[in-house]
Amino acid sequence: MIMEDDIAAFRQLKANQFCTVLLLCLSVNTIFSQLVYYFPDSVLFSFVRLAMVCVFDMVSIVILLMFFPKNSSGVGGWIFICTLLILLLYTILIPILPSYQNFVKDYFQAIFWVLCLSGSYAVAYTRPQCLGKFVKLLPWLLAIHLVLVLIFYDFSVQISHDQEKEGIEVISTMFFVVLLLPGCLMLKNGIRKNIVLFILMSSGLIGMKRSLLIVSVLSIVGYSLWRPSSQKKRVLRNILICISLLVVITGVFCYSTYGAQAMARLEAMVEDGGSGRIEIYEDLLAEIETNTEKEWMIGHGPNAVQQYFSSIFGAMFRSAHNDFLEMIYDYGILGFALYVLLHLLLLVYCIKLKRRHSEYFAPFFSAWVFFLVLSLVSHIIIYPSYPAYILIVMGMIVAADQRKYSLFQNKFLESGSDLLAEQPEEDWKKGNIG
């Protein structure tokens, strides 16, 4: 018994150490990824970003080998298995498909998003406290990303008076800020939490990106739904007040910053056909229809969409702006089916959290909405940077919740109770079980 306790304590210590390394790599990667937006020709920034992606992936693989959650079960276990199947599919297909240019670079960038989910799940399943460590890191990352936005926007304006062009670059970097929102919903300090959420909502509006506006509003709605019934009216009233303030503040900021371009941007958001997305979808769907049987089954390989659009339009980079289309073109029906299955499993887990009145429902719902909306109208799986914030939130929450709820179940079994399914989480958090 003593030896088992020693082994468990050793695993906890090692999991904590690996979690620290993982979060350090993530932080450096996202910060330098943001810098690459401002300095796309910088060899140093690009090298550091790629190096951190590779290190993050290798650390995640070691975590999977050392802390493989053998006892994982239920929907959470199926989520983990699904990520492993996608990882296996990438590992098999990328070397044999013709589209990769640099195997090491393409492979590590392709598997990054999968390892964000599976690696964070494995380490948090072994040591659930890793979720709290990640949450404590988020306000610091928020401050760094905001400072970079402010500093390099002013710098960009000084070196170029093309305010519209530089403004677009700043809009894109708002993703680094706003995707911190799901994790920040778990902050414990009420005042600091409200300030952070206000900043994040303001950033979403200032960014003037449709996807950011949609997911930010849905996240706050989910947060209000999670509150107890007695608090919902007060929460909804506060939300309406905050939204009114946000509209006024961001309206003044956008007009003073962009001038007449702000109105032009708003008009374009309504009339531009999704910033050309409809045209992209039509072109890619027409190309998919010409697939051979082999291409339908296993796709064309990593970055195949980029290469297709580059050959047609001569652009340096164009994605499908829809991860489902990206999956079916790059990895065929196999990749598409696994990606759809992953989304469905995450939705089922979200519903389970709501039914159990879990404290994790609001952040998980927010992260899942980000994941779904950005998968539909933007890109998650091809960018090894800011999507990590929402993927790690989901991976760690599923693991921590499973461990927490399994402990609750064991205590019920010991007490001889058969009311597990209906016991509110508020009771078992306070120890009122049975």
Side-chain angles (χ1 to χ4, degrees):
M1 185 67 181
I2 296 178
M3 183 170 290
E4 290 181 359
D5 292 340
D6 291 340
I7 293 174
F10 178 77
R11 285 175 57 83
Q12 290 274 321
L13 175 63
K14 288 300 178 183
N16 185 57
Q17 293 172 346
F18 273 99
C19 179
T20 300
V21 175
L22 200 69
L23 296 180
L24 178 62
C25 294
L26 169 69
S27 303
V28 176
N29 169 39
T30 51
I31 291 169
F32 275 85
S33 295
Q34 187 177 359
L35 288 172
V36 169
Y37 269 91
Y38 303 114
F39 303 99
D41 298 326
S42 172
V43 176
L44 175 62
F45 292 162
S46 299
F47 173 78
V48 173
R49 178 183 65 171
L50 179 59
M52 287 299 103
V53 169
C54 294
V55 174
F56 180 94
D57 289 350
M58 289 187 287
V59 171
S60 297
I61 292 171
V62 172
I63 287 173
L64 290 176
L65 295 174
M66 290 186 63
F67 307 107
F68 191 89
K70 298 177 182 178
N71 299 324
S72 177
S73 60
V75 180
W78 280 109
I79 291 173
F80 179 67
I81 291 173
C82 188
T83 60
L84 293 184
L85 290 175
I86 296 174
L87 179 62
L88 179 62
L89 182 72
Y90 281 0
T91 304
I92 294 173
L93 294 185
I94 291 178
I96 65 175
L97 292 173
S99 67
Y100 77 85
Q101 298 171 332
N102 182 315
F103 174 74
V104 174
K105 178 181 178 181
D106 290 348
Y107 178 71
F108 278 112
Q109 290 191 148
I111 66 175
F112 178 83
W113 76 271
V114 189
L115 290 174
C116 285
L117 269 171
S118 56
S120 61
Y121 177 91
V123 75
Y125 194 86
T126 302
R127 184 172 175 81
Q129 292 88 341
C130 290
L131 177 59
K133 178 180 288 191
F134 176 61
V135 173
K136 290 178 181 178
L137 177 65
L138 296 180
W140 296 100
L141 288 171
L142 172 61
I144 293 171
H145 287 311
L146 282 175
V147 168
L148 289 177
V149 167
L150 296 173
I151 289 177
F152 289 106
Y153 175 72
D154 292 338
F155 175 71
S156 299
V157 171
Q158 290 175 12
I159 62 174
S160 172
H161 293 291
D162 187 2
Q163 191 172 359
E164 182 179 6
K165 178 181 178 182
E166 301 304 331
I168 291 174
E169 294 303 313
V170 173
I171 287 172
S172 297
T173 58
M174 282 300 183
F175 280 101
F176 289 94
V177 176
V178 181
L179 265 69
L180 293 167
L181 195 155
C184 289
L185 289 173
M186 289 183 282
L187 291 172
K188 299 299 183 184
N189 187 302
I191 297 176
R192 183 174 65 173
K193 179 179 181 178
N194 291 332
I195 293 173
V196 167
L197 294 180
F198 188 84
I199 292 172
L200 291 170
M201 288 294 292
S202 300
S203 301
L205 290 171
I206 291 171
M208 301 182 74
K209 302 281 282 187
R210 278 161 292 210
S211 54
L212 289 182
L213 291 173
I214 292 170
V215 293
S216 298
V217 171
L218 288 177
S219 295
I220 297 301
V221 170
Y223 178 64
S224 65
L225 291 175
W226 170 76
R227 309 299 296 177
S229 300
S230 59
Q231 299 181 15
K232 284 184 179 178
K233 289 184 178 180
R234 178 170 58 84
V235 171
L236 290 173
R237 181 195 64 199
N238 293 340
I239 289 174
L240 290 175
I241 294 173
C242 288
I243 289 176
S244 301
L245 290 173
L246 284 169
V247 170
V248 173
I249 292 172
T250 53
V252 172
F253 175 85
C254 290
Y255 188 80
S256 62
T257 303
Y258 301 111
Q261 294 171 1
M263 294 305 298
R265 171 69 181 168
L266 290 174
E267 292 176 3
M269 289 172 66
V270 178
E271 302 173 357
D272 64 356
S275 298
R277 283 174 174 79
I278 294 177
E279 178 186 351
I280 292 173
Y281 298 159
E282 290 175 348
D283 288 340
L284 190 57
L285 284 171
E287 175 65 15
I288 290 173
E289 289 177 357
T290 66
N291 281 352
T292 63
E293 291 184 2
K294 176 184 175 182
E295 290 168 345
W296 271 112
M297 186 59 60
I298 61 175
H300 298 77
N303 301 321
V305 172
Q306 171 194 350
Q307 295 177 25
Y308 167 69
F309 280 124
S310 297
S311 65
I312 300 298
F313 300 104
M316 291 181 62
F317 179 82
R318 289 187 72 175
S319 75
H321 283 78
N322 181 298
D323 284 340
F324 296 93
L325 287 177
E326 193 96 31
M327 265 292 188
I328 198 168
Y329 189 79
D330 287 359
Y331 302 103
I333 293 175
L334 291 176
F336 175 78
L338 287 173
Y339 195 60
V340 171
L341 177 61
L342 178 61
H343 275 274
L344 292 176
L345 289 171
L346 291 170
L347 172 60
V348 171
Y349 206 89
C350 187
I351 294 172
K352 287 174 67 70
L353 292 175
K354 181 66 176 72
R355 286 178 176 174
R356 287 198 275 109
H357 308 287
S358 172
E359 61 177 334
Y360 297 129
F361 168 72
F364 190 89
F365 173 81
S366 176
W368 175 75
V369 167
F370 269 90
F371 189 38
L372 177 63
V373 172
L374 294 183
S375 291
L376 288 171
V377 300
S378 188
H379 17 237
I380 290 287
I381 64 175
I382 62 171
Y383 279 169
S385 56
Y386 56 80
Y389 290 142
I390 58 173
L391 296 169
I392 287 179
V393 165
M394 289 190 292
M396 286 192 172
I397 282 180
V398 173
D401 179 71
Q402 274 196 296
R403 287 296 302 274
K404 197 172 186 179
Y405 198 61
S406 64
L407 177 63
F408 167 59
Q409 288 178 315
N410 291 336
K411 290 182 178 179
F412 257 93
L413 292 174
E414 291 174 1
S415 64
S417 174
D418 58 355
L419 300 176
L420 261 176
E422 303 298 330
Q423 186 76 8
E425 181 166 333
E426 286 78 3
D427 289 346
W428 65 265
K429 281 192 296 182
K430 297 175 182 177
N432 302 328
I433 57 175

